[in-house]
Amino acid sequence: MAKIETVLVVGGGVAGLATAAALHRHGFSAELVERQPSWQALGAGFLVQANGMRALRSLGLAANVENAGTVVRRWQFFDDQGDMLSETDLAALWGDVGPCIGIERVKLQSALLAGVTEVRTRLGTSVISLVQGSGRASVGFSDGSARDYDLVVGADGIKSTVRALALTATSPNYLGAMNWRSIAPIHPAGLAGLQMFLGQSCVFGMVPLGAGRTYGFAYVALPRLHDAPEGRLGRLRNRFATFGARVQEYLDALERDDQVICSAMEWMESETWHSGRVVLVGDAAHASSPMMGQGGCMAMEDACVLAEELRAATTVEDGLDSYVSRRKPRANWVQQQSIALADIVTGPSVVRNAALRERGRQAMQTRFGPLVPPP
Ligand SMILES: Cc1cc2nc3c(=O)[nH]c(=O)nc-3n(C[C@H](O)[C@H](O)[C@H](O)COP(=O)(O)OP(=O)(O)OC[C@H]3O[C@@H](n4cnc5c(N)ncnc54)[C@H](O)[C@@H]3O)c2cc1C
């Protein structure tokens, strides 16, 4: 086991909570800082795919997620009017890896918090400085305190401060599409899994969350824009007004502008994931387009692999090298495939619909198949 007495995990999102839980489970003394003053889960719904559930199972957290969400059995593509283009049975795709679970982000966060009850966590605290010395990293916090650590894990998202302070000044890339996310108190008729309705340069998707609730997400290929909260729901309805009945049923069930979150879709590739006593996990290392719904699942896998490798290694350096070599090819695969999927889905609809009818299931197998074996 690498000799690490103190580990700081920066960020309390999916990556940070899973990493702190994994390090604690493997016998490391971790503490976590989160800059938000309270536990806030940004976003609406989330699909924890089978590989994410496998990671959570190893952390003892899978049952909480299953109980708080619902099993998603199929991944279906339709044209904008609701004619099916292809369907994938997720149990057949993933085999015995685990179920895929649709869950509200707040419930996922609660489930992950159960893994860090014995980890010291400080809310409302940001990392603002980081200087590396011999075998230590000295960290300064926004509350004026400072401390040295044997290891600092940057789990602080796509705009990572840790990455900028210790590694590189890489900036996120705009994917050329905006997204709108919401949860509606409805289970639309015929919603039997993850459904994506594909229009010209736009997609409307739905994921069941259980308890009569559904996550709706919309991706539209557009230059980056600011969509003011006032009138946002009306504009979203207008954008998808020509879509078929199931999308209309979902949009009709929304009542207020503040139910809809809008953000730009971005991704980021960092050549280097660790330097000295600093390492990155989750979006800080490899934020991807959300088209495969794998970013959070990759973060959960990162957490487990990092803790396993630090436990197996005799030095921190060896543990971090092994972590990066195990994780990078898989994370890169997801990034590349997500971008390819985004290009297909937002490409010319006639060509795309024909391709999905003919080869949709095979394409899903090709994209997700490499994620079936353990990381
Ligand atoms: C539209 C959309 C849909 C998606 N759907 C899915 C899905 O269905 N399934 C899936 O697996 N993935 C999905 N993803 C991807 C997933 O959301 C991300 O990959 C995942 O949330 C990344 O988690 P993270 O912890 O690395 O980063 P974040 O969630 O960004 O968390 C970073 C945390 O660090 C904190 N922080 C930042 N800076 C500091 C600092 N200096 N000091 C202290 N704290 C700091 C932040 O406040 C934040 O809490 C989706 C993404 C998008 C955009």
Side-chain angles (χ1 to χ4, degrees):
M1 183 164 172
K3 190 168 176 320
I4 300 174
E5 274 160 26
T6 51
V7 190
L8 175 69
V9 177
V10 184
V14 171
L17 291 174
T19 301
L23 289 170
H24 176 73
R25 225 175 148 83
H26 282 270
F28 295 101
S29 169
E31 62 179 70
L32 182 149
V33 286
E34 163 55 50
R35 73 174 168 197
Q36 300 289 342
S38 61
W39 292 113
Q40 294 169 11
L42 296 177
F46 199 96
L47 181 66
V48 187
Q49 298 189 58
N51 58 321
M53 290 303 289
R54 171 173 53 202
L56 293 181
R57 209 160 48 238
S58 76
L59 301 178
L61 301 172
N64 292 353
V65 171
E66 279 192 68
N67 292 338
T70 194
V71 178
V72 174
R73 298 184 196 283
R74 295 186 190 87
W75 186 314
Q76 300 167 320
F77 289 106
F78 299 88
D79 68 14
D80 56 359
Q81 297 309 304
D83 285 339
M84 190 179 289
L85 302 172
S86 84
E87 173 173 48
T88 300
D89 177 337
L90 293 173
L93 177 68
W94 290 103
D96 59 8
V97 178
C100 295
I101 302 291
I103 185 168
E104 295 185 32
R105 287 225 180 208
V106 279
K107 293 183 179 175
L108 176 62
Q109 184 180 61
S110 300
L112 294 176
L113 280 169
V116 297
T117 48
E118 290 170 39
V119 172
R120 181 179 178 228
T121 55
R122 279 189 287 162
L123 288 166
T125 310
S126 302
V127 165
I128 55 168
S129 69
L130 197 163
V131 178
Q132 299 221 52
S134 53
R136 308 282 280 166
S138 304
V139 179
F141 298 99
S142 52
D143 61 5
S145 63
R147 192 176 166 190
D148 286 358
Y149 295 89
D150 296 320
L151 180 65
V152 175
V153 182
D156 50 346
I158 189 167
K159 294 183 179 136
S160 169
T161 303
V162 172
R163 188 178 69 228
L165 291 172
L167 290 144
T168 138
T170 315
S171 303
N173 306 297
Y174 181 52
L175 257 171
M178 299 292 298
N179 76 78
W180 287 262
R181 293 177 270 172
S182 54
I183 294 177
I186 185 178
H187 184 97
L191 183 67
L194 186 156
Q195 299 187 333
M196 282 192 184
F197 297 85
L198 311 180
Q200 188 60 60
S201 303
C202 59
V203 178
F204 198 95
M206 292 184 231
V207 179
L209 300 172
R213 287 161 76 78
T214 297
Y215 165 41
F217 56 90
Y219 302 149
V220 182
L222 277 173
R224 191 190 285 262
L225 58 79
H226 171 69
D227 189 30
E230 197 177 331
R232 188 179 280 173
L233 175 55
R235 288 189 296 275
L236 179 63
R237 286 184 175 138
N238 285 342
R239 284 184 199 282
F240 289 89
T242 59
F243 276 53
R246 265 177 274 171
V247 172
Q248 302 313 320
E249 187 185 354
Y250 177 89
L251 289 170
D252 286 348
L254 293 173
E255 292 176 337
R256 302 183 316 276
D257 292 329
D258 66 7
Q259 288 175 288
V260 185
I261 300 163
C262 173
S263 60
M265 296 195 355
E266 295 180 315
W267 68 287
M268 192 280 319
E269 198 171 18
S270 179
E271 195 50 48
T272 318
W273 289 16
H274 82 90
S275 165
R277 295 304 179 107
V278 176
V279 64
L280 304 176
V281 293
D283 277 10
H286 50 70
S288 82
S289 145
M291 285 310 294
M292 279 175 77
Q294 272 288 334
C297 299
M298 286 293 109
M300 293 168 194
E301 289 190 352
D302 286 352
C304 297
V305 171
L306 177 63
E308 278 168 33
E309 291 298 340
L310 289 172
R311 170 133 192 167
T314 46
T315 67
V316 177
E317 290 71 19
D318 286 351
L320 298 184
D321 282 342
S322 305
Y323 157 73
V324 175
S325 6
R326 254 175 90 184
R327 292 304 300 149
K328 218 171 183 184
R330 204 163 160 105
N332 285 350
W333 170 262
V334 167
Q335 286 190 309
Q336 287 158 9
Q337 296 303 311
S338 298
I339 289 172
L341 193 56
D343 286 345
I344 291 167
V345 160
T346 54
S349 30
V350 177
V351 180
R352 175 207 56 213
N353 291 359
L356 279 172
R357 277 196 190 94
E358 271 174 41
R359 301 184 297 278
R361 200 176 323 158
Q362 183 54 43
M364 287 288 284
Q365 185 67 47
T366 306
R367 288 208 159 79
F368 286 95
L371 306 179
V372 171

